[in-house]
C-alpha cells in the first residue's frame, strides 16, 4: 500500500515538474529580478551595475514621469468607463437573445477578436487620416468645411483603446448575464417593479461580477497598449508603457525601466486585490 | 415577457461600427490607387506585391513556427501541470498555479520588460529561442485553465476504476483522462496559437535583429508609413480567420449528432 502511494506521488511530481521548473525559472524568478533590478544602477556603458540605490524611484517622482503616470491612468480610466458604457448593455442584451442569435453574435464578435489587433487598429488609421473616410463623409455631408485631422489626436487614441478592449468587456458581461436566472427579473416585474427598477435591484447586482471582471480585463491591458497610443496618437501622447519601452531600447536604462514596471505592477495588483475583495472570487468571468 | 426591438438595434449598431474599419481595409485592398482616400478602380496589384514581398513572407513563416512551437511547449507543460495539480491539492500547488497565471494577469509591457532584462542577464541569444520561452509563458495559463475546467467536470471514478482493474497509470491517462480533457486541450491550443500569432508588445522586447515576426513587421511598417500592401495582408488574414471559425463551427455541428449514436454503442 505504502509503495503504491509513493509511486502515485512520484508520478504526480513528474507531471508537475515541467510547470514548476518553468514557472520558477521564467515567471517568479524574472519578476523577483525586476524588483531587484529597480534598486540597482545603470552601468556606465552597457548593462547593470550591482550597487544599491533608490534613485530610480526618486526619479519617478519627477514631475515629468508623475505626469506620465497620471495621464496613463486617466486614459485607462476613460477608456474603461467608455468600454463599460458601450459593452455592458451589449453583453447584457446579447444574453437575452435566442440561442441562434447568440451564436451568430458570438461569431461576429470573435472574427475581429481573432484578427490581429494591429490590423484592426490599422482600419482606424484609414478612417481618421486627414482626408480619410471620416473627413470625406463629414465634408460630403457639409458638416465640416475641411479635414478634421483626427489622426494623432487624443480622441483617436481613445477610440483605438475602446476598440481593442471592447470584446473583453462584452464577453465578461455576457458570460455573467447568461447565467442569470431571468425568472427572478420576471418575478420582480410581476410584483410591480418597473423594468428600470427590476434591472437595478435584480439584474445589475447579479451581473456585477461580470462587469468587474470586464473592468480588470480592460483596465490592466490598457496600461500596456503602448502601440495604440503610438500608432493613433503619434508622439503626442506618452504613456507609462511608451516610457518603459523607450528606457529599455533608446535609453538602455534597465533599472529605471524596472522601477517604472514595479510601480505599474503594484498598482495593477492593487486593482485585482480590490476586485477580489468586492466580488469575493478569484475567477475572472469570461476569461476562464 | 415581450421582446423589445431596441436592444437588437443597439447591438446591431455597435457591431456595425466595429466592422467599419475592417470593411474599409478590405475595400481599399482592391484599390488601384496608392493613396487610399482616392478610389482608382479595382485592382489586385497589392496582392501581387504582397506575395512578392520576401520580408513579409519570412515574417509569416517565423510567426507560424513560433506559434507552433509555443503551442507544443504550452500544451505539454500546461496539460501535465493541470493533471498533476488535479490529483492532489497542496499549498505549494496552489501557490504555483497562481504564479503560473501571472503572465496574463500583469500588463504585457511589464512581461516584455522583465523578459528582456532576464534574458540579457542569462546571456541567451535573442531570437526564436527567447520568443518561444516568452510566448510559452503567457500561453501556459490558457491551456492550464481550459484543461483544469475539463478535469473538474470529469468523473473521477472512471480513472479509479481503470486503475483498480490493473491498468498502468500511463494507459489510464491515455485511454480515460486524455479523451475527456481533449476539448479543453484543443481550445487551449486555439487560444495559445491566436495569442502567440497576434502578439506585438512582448515580441518587440524579446526578438533579435535577425528574427521578425509578422506582427512586429506590420508594426514597423505602420510606424514608417502606410502602404496599401498592408490592406491586402489584412484581408488575407481576415479571410483565413473567417474560414477557420466557419470550419470549427462546421466541425462542431458534425460532432454533436455523431456523439449521440456513439453513446449507446
Amino acid at each position: 500500500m505504502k509503495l503504491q502511494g509513493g509511486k502515485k506521488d512520484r508520478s504526480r511530481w513528474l507531471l508537475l515538474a515541467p510547470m514548476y521548473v518553468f514557472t520558477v525559472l521564467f515567471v517568479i524568478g524574472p519578476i523577483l529580478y525586476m524588483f531587484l533590478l529597480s534598486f540597482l544602477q545603470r552601468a556606465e556603458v552597457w548593462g547593470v551595475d550591482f550597487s544599491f540605490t533608490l534613485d530610480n524611484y526618486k526619479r519617478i517622482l519627477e514631475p515629468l514621469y508623475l505626469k506620465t503616470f497620471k495621464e496613463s491612468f486617466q486614459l485607462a480610466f476613460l477608456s474603461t468607463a467608455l468600454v463599460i458604457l458601450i459593452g455592458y448593455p451589449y453583453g447584457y442584451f446579447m444574453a437575452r437573445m435566442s440561442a441562434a442569435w447568440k451564436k451568430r453574435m458570438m461569431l461576429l464578435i470573435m472574427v475581429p477578436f481573432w484578427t490581429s489587433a494591429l490590423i484592426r487598429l490599422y482600419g482606424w488609421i484609414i478612417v481618421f487620416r486627414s482626408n480619410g473616410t471620416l473627413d470625406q463623409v463629414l465634408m460630403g455631408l457639409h458638416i465640416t468645411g475641411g479635414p478634421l485631422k483626427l489622426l494623432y489626436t487624443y480622441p483617436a487614441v481613445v477610440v483605438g483603446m475602446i476598440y481593442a478592449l471592447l470584446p473583453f468587456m462584452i464577453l465578461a458581461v455576457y458570460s455573467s448575464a447568461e447565467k442569470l436566472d431571468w425568472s427572478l427579473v420576471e418575478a420582480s416585474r410581476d410584483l410591480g417593479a418597473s423594468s428600470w427598477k427590476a434591472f437595478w435591484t435584480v439584474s445589475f447586482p447579479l451581473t456585477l461580477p461580470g462587469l468587474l471582471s470586464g473592468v480588470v480585463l480592460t483596465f490592466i491591458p490598457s496600461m500596456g497598449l503602448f502601440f495604440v497610443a503610438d500608432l493613433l496618437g503619434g508622439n503626442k501622447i506618452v504613456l507609462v508603457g511608451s516610457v518603459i519601452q523607450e528606457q529599455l531600447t533608446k535609453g538602455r536604462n534597465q533599472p529605471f525601466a524596472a522601477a517604472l514596471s514595479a510601480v505599474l505592477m503594484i498598482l495593477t495588483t492593487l486593482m485585482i486585490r480590490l476586485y477580489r475583495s468586492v466580488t469575493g472570487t478569484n475567477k475572472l468571468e469570461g476569461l476562464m | 415577457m415581450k421582446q423589445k426591438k431596441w436592444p437588437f438595434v443597439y447591438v446591431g449598431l455597435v457591431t456595425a461600427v466595429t466592422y467599419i474599419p475592417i470593411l474599409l481595409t478590405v475595400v481599399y485592398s482592391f484599390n488601384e490607387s496608392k493613396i487610399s482616400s482616392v478610389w482608382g478602380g479595382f485592382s489586385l496589384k497589392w496582392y501581387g506585391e504582397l506575395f512578392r514581398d520576401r520580408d513579409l513572407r519570412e515574417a509569416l513563416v517565423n510567426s507560424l513556427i513560433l506559434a507552433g512551437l509555443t503551442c507544443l511547449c504550452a500544451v505539454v507543460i500546461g496539460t501535465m501541470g493541470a493533471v498533476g495539480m488535479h490529483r492532489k491539492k497542496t499549498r505549494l500547488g496552489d501557490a504555483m498555479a497562481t504564479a503560473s497565471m501571472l503572465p496574463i494577469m500583469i500588463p504585457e509591457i511589464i512581461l516584455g520588460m522583465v523578459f528582456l532584462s532576464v534574458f540579457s542577464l542569462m546571456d541567451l541569444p535573442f531570437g526564436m529561442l527567447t520568443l518561444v520561452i516568452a510566448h510559452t509563458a503567457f500561453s501556459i495559463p490558457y491551456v492550464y485553465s481550459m484543461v483544469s475546467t475539463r478535469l473538474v467536470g470529469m468523473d473521477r471514478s472512471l480513472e479509479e476504476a481503470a486503475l483498480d482493474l490493473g491498468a498502468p497509470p500511463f494507459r489510464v491517462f491515455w485511454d480515460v483522462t486524455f479523451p475527456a480533457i481533449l476539448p479543453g486541450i484543443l481550445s487551449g491550443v486555439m487560444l495559445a496559437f491566436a495569442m502567440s500569432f497576434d502578439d506585438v508588445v512582448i515580441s518587440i522586447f524579446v526578438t533579435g535583429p535577425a528574427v521578425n515576426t509578422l506582427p512586429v513587421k506590420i508594426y514597423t511598417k505602420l510606424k514608417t508609413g502606410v502602404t496599401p500592401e498592408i490592406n491586402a495582408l489584412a484581408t488575407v488574414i481576415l479571410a483565413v480567420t473567417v474560414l477557420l471559425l466557419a470550419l470549427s463551427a462546421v466541425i462542431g455541428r458534425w460532432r454533436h449528432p455523431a456523439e449521440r449514436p456513439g453513446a449507446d454503442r
Side-chain angles (χ1 to χ4, degrees):
Chain A
M1 251 349 239
K2 212 176 175 187
L3 188 87
Q4 214 188 0
K7 230 178 174 178
K8 240 180 161 177
D9 230 37
R10 208 174 58 202
S11 78
R12 191 177 72 94
W13 276 109
L14 280 175
L15 285 168
L16 289 174
M19 190 160 130
Y20 280 15
V21 170
F22 190 91
T23 306
V24 168
L25 215 56
F26 294 116
V27 181
I28 301 174
I31 290 173
L32 291 178
Y33 178 64
M34 174 191 79
F35 281 106
L36 172 74
L37 198 59
S38 69
F39 293 107
L40 301 178
Q41 270 166 20
R42 172 188 171 199
E44 287 289 312
V45 194
W46 194 87
V48 183
D49 188 3
F50 280 80
S51 54
F52 181 84
T53 176
L54 281 173
D55 285 354
N56 298 313
Y57 286 98
K58 278 188 202 142
R59 202 170 153 201
I60 293 178
L61 295 174
E62 282 173 20
L64 175 69
Y65 297 110
L66 268 188
K67 202 179 133 222
T68 311
F69 263 96
K70 207 184 108 211
E71 280 177 357
S72 297
F73 269 90
Q74 268 173 356
L75 180 66
F77 271 117
L78 180 65
S79 318
T80 308
L82 290 169
V83 165
I84 293 173
L85 272 179
I86 302 168
Y88 182 87
Y90 193 112
Y92 184 81
F93 292 151
M94 208 173 116
R96 304 222 58 181
M97 288 179 172
S98 66
W101 271 104
K102 272 181 196 165
K103 244 186 210 156
R104 272 171 229 160
M105 291 320 293
M106 195 54 103
L107 201 67
L108 278 174
I109 295 171
M110 283 328 253
V111 169
F113 193 63
W114 288 81
T115 320
S116 152
L118 275 176
I119 281 171
R120 283 183 291 147
L121 282 180
Y122 170 70
W124 286 108
I125 298 183
I126 302 180
V127 174
F128 285 135
R129 208 176 346 178
S130 181
N131 279 318
T133 317
L134 187 66
D135 276 347
Q136 283 181 350
V137 169
L138 289 178
M139 275 149 54
L141 293 171
H142 298 289
I143 297 173
T144 51
L148 285 174
K149 301 209 170 84
L150 273 173
L151 188 60
Y152 307 134
T153 63
Y154 199 76
V157 177
V158 175
V159 169
M161 284 284 188
I162 295 172
Y163 197 57
L165 299 169
L166 190 63
F168 293 103
M169 177 63 77
I170 291 176
L171 292 178
V173 172
Y174 170 75
S175 78
S176 170
E178 249 259 283
K179 283 181 281 188
L180 184 78
D181 186 357
W182 294 103
S183 63
L184 291 175
V185 183
E186 276 171 51
S188 73
R189 295 281 282 133
D190 288 345
L191 291 171
S194 66
S195 55
W196 191 241
K197 189 155 186 214
F199 172 75
W200 283 110
T201 50
V202 181
S203 312
F204 186 73
L206 287 172
T207 49
L208 194 61
L211 175 65
L212 291 173
S213 157
V215 168
V216 174
L217 289 175
T218 49
F219 191 84
I220 291 172
S222 73
M223 304 291 299
L225 290 177
F226 67 85
F227 62 90
V228 178
D230 225 28
L231 291 178
L232 293 172
N235 300 323
K236 282 179 205 147
I237 292 134
V238 182
L239 303 178
V240 180
S242 331
V243 177
I244 295 175
Q245 196 217 1
E246 218 179 75
Q247 288 298 328
L248 277 178
T249 50
K250 285 186 210 132
R252 290 182 180 278
N253 192 343
Q254 284 191 25
F256 184 51
L260 286 165
S261 306
V263 173
L264 189 60
M265 183 160 164
I266 290 164
L267 291 172
T268 50
T269 313
L270 286 177
M271 279 266 315
I272 296 182
R273 269 284 161 84
L274 196 69
Y275 166 78
R276 279 181 193 162
S277 65
V278 173
T279 58
T281 155
N282 252 333
K283 233 180 88 168
L284 281 177
E285 202 84 47
L287 181 67
M288 51 199 64
Chain B
M1 234 190 289
K2 214 185 92 205
Q3 275 278 15
K4 289 192 186 95
K5 279 266 153 48
W6 59 270
F8 278 93
V9 175
Y10 174 81
V11 169
L13 219 65
V14 173
T15 313
V17 171
T18 60
Y19 272 81
I20 290 175
I22 295 170
L23 292 179
L24 279 175
T25 315
V26 174
V27 169
Y28 281 122
S29 75
F30 298 108
N31 187 3
E32 165 80 41
S33 161
K34 196 173 162 68
I35 314 149
S36 58
S37 45
V38 183
W39 183 252
F42 182 86
S43 152
L44 286 174
K45 79 172 181 198
W46 302 115
Y47 288 88
E49 299 259 309
L50 179 67
F51 291 116
R52 278 191 294 274
D53 192 326
R54 263 233 192 108
D55 280 1
L56 272 182
R57 203 162 49 209
E58 213 172 275
L60 172 69
V61 171
N62 282 335
S63 274
L64 288 173
I65 294 173
L66 170 62
L69 288 174
T70 300
C71 282
L72 196 71
C73 296
V75 160
V76 172
I77 298 174
T79 309
M80 281 170 70
V83 172
M85 216 66 98
H86 186 65
R87 293 224 176 135
K88 200 165 127 198
K89 289 262 174 281
T90 58
R91 268 252 185 84
L92 177 70
D94 280 349
M96 281 302 211
T98 312
S100 71
M101 284 289 151
L102 278 173
I104 56 168
M105 301 296 274
I106 58 179
E108 279 177 285
I109 178 98
I110 298 183
L111 209 61
M113 184 270 140
V114 160
F115 280 132
L116 178 99
S117 51
V118 162
F119 291 154
S120 57
L121 179 79
M122 289 174 164
D123 224 8
L124 289 176
F126 281 87
M128 196 47 96
L129 175 69
T130 48
L131 279 167
V132 172
I133 294 174
H135 282 217
T136 303
F138 70 71
S139 295
I140 288 175
Y142 294 109
V143 177
Y144 176 83
S145 55
M146 291 293 165
V147 174
S148 293
T149 318
R150 293 292 301 191
L151 282 168
V152 170
M154 201 180 105
D155 192 354
R156 278 303 293 273
S157 58
L158 288 174
E159 271 177 322
E160 276 157 23
L163 276 172
D164 286 347
L165 290 170
F170 183 74
R171 277 294 302 269
V172 176
F173 174 79
W174 197 246
D175 289 346
V176 181
T177 320
F178 184 72
I181 59 176
L182 190 61
I185 297 177
L186 289 180
S187 45
V189 166
M190 262 173 76
L191 269 171
F193 193 94
M195 293 295 161
S196 162
F197 194 73
D198 192 24
D199 177 73
V200 205
V201 177
I202 293 161
S203 301
I204 284 181
F205 288 107
V206 297
T207 188
V211 183
N212 259 322
T213 69
L214 193 61
V216 171
K217 189 86 210 160
I218 295 174
Y219 180 68
T220 35
K221 264 190 187 269
L222 287 183
K223 276 200 87 164
T224 47
V226 173
T227 60
E229 210 188 350
I230 299 284
N231 288 326
L233 179 64
T235 308
V236 172
I237 292 182
L238 194 73
V240 172
T241 311
V242 173
L243 216 73
L244 287 178
L245 280 173
L247 205 69
S248 76
V250 169
I251 290 170
R253 207 167 291 167
W254 277 346
R255 219 175 41 199
H256 287 301
E259 266 169 1
R260 255 171 258 138
D264 50 33
R265 216 184 293 154

